[in-house]
Amino acid sequence: MSIQDEMRQVKLASPKLAAADGETRNRALQAVSEALQAEREAIFEANREDMEQAEQDGVPGPILKRLKFDEGKLRDVIAGINDLIHMPDPLFQTQLARELDEGLVLKRVTCPIGVIGVIFEARPDALVQISALCIKSGNCVILKGGSEALRSNKKLFTTIYEAVLKAGLPENCMMQLEARSEISELLECHASVDLLIPRGSNAFVQYIMDHTKIPVMGHADGICHIYVDKDADLDKAVPIIFDAKTQYVSACNAVETLLVHHDIAGDLMPRLKAALDEKQVELRGSRAIAELIDCEAATERDDATEYLDYILSVKTVSDIQEAIDHINYYGSHHTDCIVTENAAAAERFMDLVDSAGVYQNCSTRFADGYRYGFGAEVGISTGKLHARGPVGLEGLLSYKYKLYGQGQIVADYASGSKTFCFRDL
């Protein structure tokens, strides 16, 4: 059977999964949680082989960190699955109920999108999170992970798929692609795939958008900013910046550019540099910053760069509007933060910065489906249509209109013999 034939089988399975009740889907999630525990050693061994191969191939450190799947990451994904189990069923929820006329009732009810194709980076934990969200939301899923995680992903996929079949989900509700060449076949299969979510570089996401008719949702770069206002509490600012840059440096929500009001730069920068030196963070500063601390010279290219590494570009700004303008021009509309004790300044920043996440006095690393209480996420969307920010259960839903009648015909309303009443129920 060809890859496209297999995708058509997934499409045929999607109405069956969409009709599965919440108890069945939760039972499948519980089976996945138990199977991951039972197969933990085999999963860890597959990941060790991937890690060894990646190290031999000279894969950079930040990517190795993403690739590693250990006890901590297993614990986190299982916690995410358990959170999903305890969440209300997102399907079959009535969003609108309206009587159009006596005996003619319209309802808008939540339903899955259908078949979702997700192309993601070399993060084995992402495969688990994406699979769990699709199970809970009743969506079939086609998964293509990064080649560095080939063994890990294969073992995780097999473990999850076998568990959900035993729990009663339909055959072909999940599919895994392994070869890079299969991405092209996925992009061409617009009759079988309802939505694509690519995760990766800007160039990669743009390539996906340019080579498919399938709707695409996601984000490219994660150029996140922190602006330290003149009314900032520096005792808050330093640990916030430190966490946003170093807690998980290769994440898309790690801060890449720091903007500092020139009035407080002299007080902030020596303290911040001392903190970041502990993690050997390379600072690339504007001329004004270079007058305050020892740093590399920054260029305009740094303003538009997602480092995913222990590098932070820093520049001073004269006021909050300059910071807002810089973020809206150079940013990726992902997540941006203001550090200030001035409530009016914070609201102005949060109203005018055009990003999916706008924060006050906290790390940009909070931009995450799990930390938002979504259970997990399939990705983060910087677009404005359908879903924005961390895409959890709600972002994987659509809706349908159900109209219940008793023999009504439009001709009666066109002739005026009957009229609509439009009464919300």
Side-chain angles (χ1 to χ4, degrees), residues 315-328:
K315 70 180 294 184
T316 60
V317 292
S318 58
D319 56 28
I320 188 173
Q321 189 60 50
E322 185 179 350
I324 291 167
D325 290 343
H326 178 100
I327 292 169
N328 285 340

Side-chain angles (χ1 to χ4, degrees), residues 350-378:
M350 297 170 92
D351 286 344
L352 294 180
V353 168
D354 186 21
S355 295
V358 283
Y359 295 180
Q360 178 189 6
N361 293 342
C362 54
S363 171
T364 57
R365 287 280 293 120
F366 281 104
D368 179 85
Y370 176 73
R371 296 186 181 98
Y372 280 9
F374 296 168
E377 67 184 38
V378 293

Side-chain angles (χ1 to χ4, degrees), residues 84-193:
L84 284 173
I85 291 171
H86 291 98
M87 287 181 181
D89 188 356
L91 299 184
F92 320 121
Q93 301 302 307
T94 300
Q95 299 178 326
L96 175 148
R98 178 172 295 162
E99 186 179 57
L100 307 186
D101 191 10
E102 184 177 355
L104 186 62
V105 176
L106 176 70
K107 293 184 179 182
R108 186 173 70 206
V109 181
T110 57
C111 65
I113 290 172
V115 178
I116 299 176
V118 188
I119 309 169
F120 55 100
E121 65 276 47
R123 272 186 54 196
D125 54 325
L127 184 145
V128 183
Q129 294 169 348
I130 294 164
S131 300
L133 279 167
C134 288
I135 293 166
K136 181 73 175 186
S137 60
N139 286 287
C140 290
V141 64
I142 299 172
L143 298 153
K144 172 63 178 78
S147 58
E148 295 89 351
L150 183 64
R151 300 171 185 85
S152 306
N153 286 342
K154 187 170 185 177
K155 180 58 183 175
L156 285 167
F157 177 84
T158 302
T159 300
I160 294 169
Y161 185 51
E162 290 178 354
V164 301
L165 291 185
K166 290 178 182 177
L169 295 193
E171 190 175 359
N172 300 312
C173 64
M174 298 179 66
M175 178 179 175
Q176 183 185 27
L177 304 179
E178 297 186 59
R180 187 174 183 84
S181 60
E182 292 172 338
I183 293 177
S184 296
E185 296 189 66
L186 173 61
L187 300 184
E188 293 171 3
C189 208
H190 54 87
S192 298
V193 181

Side-chain angles (χ1 to χ4, degrees), residues 138-254:
N139 286 287
C140 290
V141 64
I142 299 172
L143 298 153
K144 172 63 178 78
S147 58
E148 295 89 351
L150 183 64
R151 300 171 185 85
S152 306
N153 286 342
K154 187 170 185 177
K155 180 58 183 175
L156 285 167
F157 177 84
T158 302
T159 300
I160 294 169
Y161 185 51
E162 290 178 354
V164 301
L165 291 185
K166 290 178 182 177
L169 295 193
E171 190 175 359
N172 300 312
C173 64
M174 298 179 66
M175 178 179 175
Q176 183 185 27
L177 304 179
E178 297 186 59
R180 187 174 183 84
S181 60
E182 292 172 338
I183 293 177
S184 296
E185 296 189 66
L186 173 61
L187 300 184
E188 293 171 3
C189 208
H190 54 87
S192 298
V193 181
D194 298 292
L195 178 68
L196 279 176
I197 304 178
R199 296 165 41 146
S201 69
N202 185 29
F204 174 71
V205 174
Q206 194 60 55
Y207 174 86
I208 298 297
M209 291 178 175
D210 292 343
H211 289 81
T212 187
K213 296 179 181 179
I214 303 168
V216 178
M217 178 175 69
H219 79 278
D221 292 338
I223 304 174
C224 300
H225 299 76
I226 292 177
Y227 164 58
V228 184
D229 186 48
K230 63 184 177 66
D231 295 319
D233 179 342
L234 300 190
D235 288 336
K236 293 179 182 176
V238 172
I240 287 170
I241 299 164
F242 183 86
D243 182 87
K245 180 71 264 183
T246 69
Q247 196 273 331
Y248 190 32
V249 72
S250 58
C252 61
N253 55 18

